[in-house]
Coordinates of all heavy atoms in Angstrom, one line a residue:
D1 N 0.8 -1.2 0.0 CA 0.0 0.0 0.0 C 0.9 1.3 0.0 O 2.0 1.2 0.4 CB -0.9 0.0 1.2 CG -2.2 0.7 1.0 OD1 -2.3 1.5 0.0 OD2 -3.2 0.4 1.6
N2 N 0.4 2.4 -0.5 CA 1.0 3.6 -0.5 C 0.3 4.5 0.4 O -0.9 4.8 0.4 CB 1.2 4.1 -1.9 CG 2.1 3.3 -2.7 OD1 3.3 2.9 -2.5 ND2 1.5 2.8 -4.0
V3 N 1.0 5.4 1.2 CA 0.4 6.3 2.1 C 1.2 7.7 1.9 O 2.3 7.8 2.1 CB 0.7 5.7 3.6 CG1 0.0 6.8 4.6 CG2 0.0 4.4 3.8
D4 N 0.3 8.6 1.6 CA 0.9 10.0 1.5 C 1.0 10.7 2.8 O -0.2 10.5 3.6 CB 0.1 10.8 0.5 CG 0.1 10.3 -0.9 OD1 1.2 9.8 -1.3 OD2 -0.9 10.4 -1.6
I5 N 2.0 11.2 3.3 CA 2.2 11.7 4.6 C 2.8 13.1 4.7 O 3.7 13.4 3.8 CB 3.2 10.6 5.4 CG1 3.1 11.1 6.8 CG2 4.4 10.6 4.9 CD1 3.6 10.0 7.8
S6 N 2.3 13.9 5.7 CA 2.9 15.1 6.0 C 3.1 15.2 7.5 O 2.3 14.7 8.4 CB 1.8 16.2 5.7 OG 1.7 16.2 4.2
V7 N 4.4 15.5 7.8 CA 4.8 15.4 9.3 C 5.3 16.9 9.7 O 6.2 17.4 9.0 CB 6.0 14.4 9.5 CG1 6.4 14.4 10.9 CG2 5.4 13.0 9.0
D8 N 4.6 17.3 10.7 CA 5.1 18.5 11.4 C 5.6 18.3 12.7 O 4.7 18.3 13.6 CB 3.9 19.6 11.1 CG 4.3 21.0 11.8 OD1 5.4 21.1 12.2 OD2 3.4 21.8 12.0
M9 N 6.8 18.2 12.9 CA 7.4 17.9 14.4 C 7.2 19.1 15.2 O 7.0 19.0 16.4 CB 8.8 17.4 14.2 CG 9.0 16.1 13.5 SD 10.7 15.6 13.5 CE 11.3 15.5 15.0
T10 N 7.3 20.3 14.5 CA 7.3 21.5 15.4 C 5.9 21.6 15.9 O 5.7 22.1 17.2 CB 7.6 22.7 14.5 OG1 8.9 22.7 13.9 CG2 7.4 24.0 15.4
G11 N 4.8 21.5 15.2 CA 3.5 21.5 15.6 C 3.0 20.3 16.3 O 1.8 20.2 16.7
Q12 N 3.7 19.2 16.1 CA 3.3 17.9 16.7 C 2.0 17.4 16.1 O 1.1 17.2 16.7 CB 3.3 17.9 18.1 CG 4.6 18.1 18.8 CD 4.6 17.8 20.4 OE1 3.6 17.3 20.9 NE2 5.7 18.1 21.1
R13 N 2.1 17.4 14.7 CA 0.9 16.9 14.0 C 1.3 16.0 12.7 O 2.2 16.3 12.2 CB 0.1 18.0 13.6 CG 0.8 19.1 12.7 CD -0.1 20.4 12.5 NE 0.7 21.3 11.7 CZ 0.1 22.5 11.2 NH1 -1.2 22.8 11.4 NH2 0.8 23.3 10.6
I14 N 0.4 15.1 12.4 CA 0.7 14.2 11.4 C -0.5 14.0 10.5 O -1.5 13.9 11.1 CB 1.4 12.9 11.7 CG1 2.7 13.1 12.5 CG2 1.6 12.0 10.5 CD1 3.2 11.8 13.1
R15 N -0.3 14.0 9.2 CA -1.6 13.6 8.3 C -1.1 12.4 7.5 O 0.0 12.5 6.8 CB -1.9 14.8 7.4 CG -3.1 14.4 6.4 CD -3.2 15.6 5.4 NE -4.4 15.4 4.6 CZ -4.4 14.9 3.5 NH1 -3.4 14.3 3.0 NH2 -5.6 14.8 2.7
E16 N -2.0 11.5 7.3 CA -1.9 10.4 6.4 C -3.0 10.2 5.5 O -4.2 10.3 5.9 CB -1.5 9.0 7.1 CG -0.2 9.0 7.7 CD 0.1 7.5 8.3 OE1 -0.9 6.7 8.5 OE2 1.2 7.1 8.5
Y17 N -2.7 9.9 4.2 CA -3.7 9.5 3.3 C -3.4 8.2 2.6 O -2.5 8.0 2.0 CB -3.9 10.6 2.1 CG -4.7 10.1 1.0 CD1 -6.1 10.3 1.2 CD2 -4.2 9.7 -0.2 CE1 -7.0 9.9 0.2 CE2 -5.1 9.3 -1.2 CZ -6.4 9.4 -1.0 OH -7.3 9.1 -2.0
V18 N -4.3 7.2 2.9 CA -4.0 5.8 2.5 C -4.8 5.7 1.1 O -6.0 5.8 1.1 CB -4.8 4.8 3.5 CG1 -4.4 3.4 3.0 CG2 -4.1 4.9 4.9
R19 N -4.0 5.5 0.1 CA -4.5 5.6 -1.3 C -5.5 4.5 -1.6 O -6.3 4.5 -2.3 CB -3.3 5.5 -2.1 CG -2.3 6.7 -2.2 CD -1.3 6.6 -3.3 NE -0.3 7.5 -3.3 CZ 0.8 7.7 -4.0 NH1 0.9 6.7 -5.0 NH2 1.8 8.6 -3.9
S20 N -5.1 3.3 -1.0 CA -6.1 2.1 -1.3 C -7.5 2.2 -0.9 O -8.4 1.7 -1.5 CB -5.5 0.9 -0.8 OG -5.4 0.8 0.5
T21 N -7.7 3.0 0.1 CA -9.0 3.1 0.8 C -9.5 4.6 0.7 O -10.7 4.8 1.0 CB -8.9 2.7 2.3 OG1 -8.0 3.4 3.0 CG2 -8.6 1.1 2.4
G22 N -8.6 5.4 0.5 CA -9.0 6.9 0.5 C -9.4 7.5 2.1 O -9.7 8.5 2.1
T23 N -8.8 6.7 3.0 CA -8.9 7.1 4.3 C -7.9 8.2 4.7 O -6.8 8.0 4.4 CB -8.8 5.9 5.2 OG1 -9.8 4.9 4.9 CG2 -9.1 6.3 6.7
I24 N -8.3 9.1 5.5 CA -7.5 10.2 6.0 C -7.2 10.0 7.4 O -8.4 10.0 8.2 CB -7.8 11.6 5.6 CG1 -7.9 11.8 4.0 CG2 -7.0 12.6 6.3 CD1 -8.4 13.1 3.6
Y25 N -6.1 10.2 8.0 CA -5.7 10.2 9.4 C -5.2 11.5 9.7 O -4.2 11.9 9.2 CB -4.9 9.1 9.7 CG -5.4 7.8 9.7 CD1 -5.1 7.0 8.4 CD2 -6.2 7.2 10.4 CE1 -5.7 5.7 8.2 CE2 -6.8 5.9 10.3 CZ -6.4 5.1 9.1 OH -7.0 3.8 8.9
L26 N -5.8 12.2 10.7 CA -5.2 13.6 11.2 C -4.9 13.3 12.8 O -5.7 13.1 13.4 CB -6.2 14.7 11.0 CG -6.4 15.2 9.5 CD1 -7.6 16.2 9.5 CD2 -5.1 15.8 9.0
M27 N -3.7 13.6 13.2 CA -3.3 13.4 14.4 C -2.7 14.7 15.0 O -1.8 15.3 14.4 CB -2.2 12.3 14.6 CG -2.8 11.0 14.8 SD -3.7 10.3 13.5 CE -2.5 10.3 12.2
F28 N -3.3 15.3 16.0 CA -2.9 16.4 16.6 C -2.3 16.1 18.1 O -3.1 16.0 19.0 CB -3.8 17.4 16.7 CG -4.4 17.8 15.3 CD1 -5.6 17.2 14.9 CD2 -3.9 18.8 14.5 CE1 -6.1 17.5 13.6 CE2 -4.3 19.2 13.3 CZ -5.4 18.5 12.8
Y29 N -1.1 15.9 18.3 CA -0.5 15.4 19.5 C -0.6 16.3 20.7 O -0.5 15.9 21.9 CB 0.8 14.8 19.3 CG 0.7 13.5 18.4 CD1 1.0 13.6 17.0 CD2 0.5 12.3 19.0 CE1 0.9 12.5 16.2 CE2 0.3 11.0 18.1 CZ 0.6 11.2 16.7 OH 0.5 10.2 16.0
K30 N -0.4 17.7 20.3 CA -0.4 18.7 21.5 C -1.8 18.6 22.1 O -1.9 18.8 23.2 CB 0.0 20.0 20.9 CG 1.4 20.3 20.7 CD 1.8 21.7 20.2 CE 3.2 22.0 20.0 NZ 3.4 23.5 19.5
E31 N -2.9 18.5 21.3 CA -4.2 18.5 21.7 C -4.6 17.1 22.2 O -5.6 17.0 22.9 CB -5.1 19.1 20.7 CG -4.9 20.5 20.3 CD -3.8 20.6 19.4 OE1 -3.1 19.7 18.8 OE2 -3.3 22.0 19.1
G32 N -3.8 16.1 21.9 CA -4.2 14.7 22.3 C -5.4 14.1 21.5 O -6.1 13.2 22.1
V33 N -5.6 14.6 20.3 CA -6.9 14.2 19.5 C -6.4 13.7 18.2 O -5.5 14.3 17.5 CB -7.8 15.6 19.4 CG1 -9.0 15.1 18.5 CG2 -8.3 16.0 20.7
G34 N -7.3 12.8 17.6 CA -7.0 12.3 16.2 C -8.3 12.2 15.5 O -9.4 11.8 16.2
Y35 N -8.3 12.2 14.2 CA -9.5 12.0 13.5 C -9.3 11.0 12.3 O -8.2 10.9 11.8 CB -9.9 13.3 12.8 CG -10.2 14.3 13.8 CD1 -9.2 15.2 14.2 CD2 -11.5 14.6 14.3 CE1 -9.4 16.2 15.2 CE2 -11.8 15.8 15.3 CZ -10.6 16.5 15.6 OH -10.9 17.4 16.5
M36 N -10.2 10.2 12.1 CA -10.2 9.3 10.9 C -11.4 9.6 9.9 O -12.5 9.6 10.4 CB -10.4 7.8 11.3 CG -10.2 6.8 10.1 SD -10.4 5.1 10.7 CE -12.1 5.0 11.3
I37 N -11.1 10.0 8.7 CA -12.1 10.4 7.8 C -12.2 9.3 6.7 O -11.2 9.2 5.9 CB -11.8 11.9 7.1 CG1 -11.6 12.9 8.2 CG2 -12.9 12.1 6.2 CD1 -10.3 13.2 8.6
D38 N -13.3 8.7 6.6 CA -13.5 7.5 5.7 C -14.9 7.7 5.0 O -15.9 7.7 5.6 CB -13.5 6.2 6.5 CG -13.4 5.1 5.5 OD1 -13.2 5.2 4.2 OD2 -13.6 4.0 6.0
N39 N -14.9 8.0 3.7 CA -16.1 8.2 2.9 C -17.0 9.3 3.6 O -18.1 8.9 3.8 CB -16.8 6.8 2.9 CG -16.0 5.8 1.9 OD1 -15.4 6.2 1.0 ND2 -16.2 4.5 2.4
S40 N -16.4 10.3 3.7 CA -17.1 11.5 4.4 C -17.6 11.3 5.8 O -18.3 12.1 6.4 CB -18.3 11.9 3.5 OG -17.8 12.4 2.2
T41 N -17.3 10.2 6.4 CA -17.7 9.9 7.7 C -16.4 10.2 8.7 O -15.4 9.7 8.3 CB -18.1 8.3 8.0 OG1 -19.2 8.2 7.1 CG2 -18.4 8.1 9.4
C42 N -16.6 10.9 9.8 CA -15.5 11.3 10.5 C -15.5 10.6 12.0 O -16.7 10.6 12.6 CB -15.4 12.8 10.7 SG -14.0 13.3 11.7

């Protein structure tokens, strides 16, 4: 599988886009919160 990724160590946040499923993962570590967006469902 291929995963497009953006990493911001300064802001402690990471974004991943999984190509095979279209799923997006957003992680905000300073806030301790993460999101999974799949087919417009969050």
Side-chain angles (χ1 to χ4, degrees):
D1 209 338
N2 291 309
V3 181
D4 297 325
I5 187 168
S6 300
V7 177
D8 177 11
M9 294 176 63
T10 303
Q12 294 191 7
R13 53 187 182 171
I14 297 177
R15 178 190 188 269
E16 284 189 344
Y17 171 74
V18 184
R19 294 185 189 178
S20 63
T21 62
T23 305
I24 296 174
Y25 297 95
L26 288 170
M27 272 64 60
F28 301 94
Y29 291 93
K30 282 185 177 179
E31 295 80 8
V33 177
Y35 301 90
M36 180 178 69
I37 302 97
D38 188 13
N39 294 325
S40 300
T41 300
C42 183

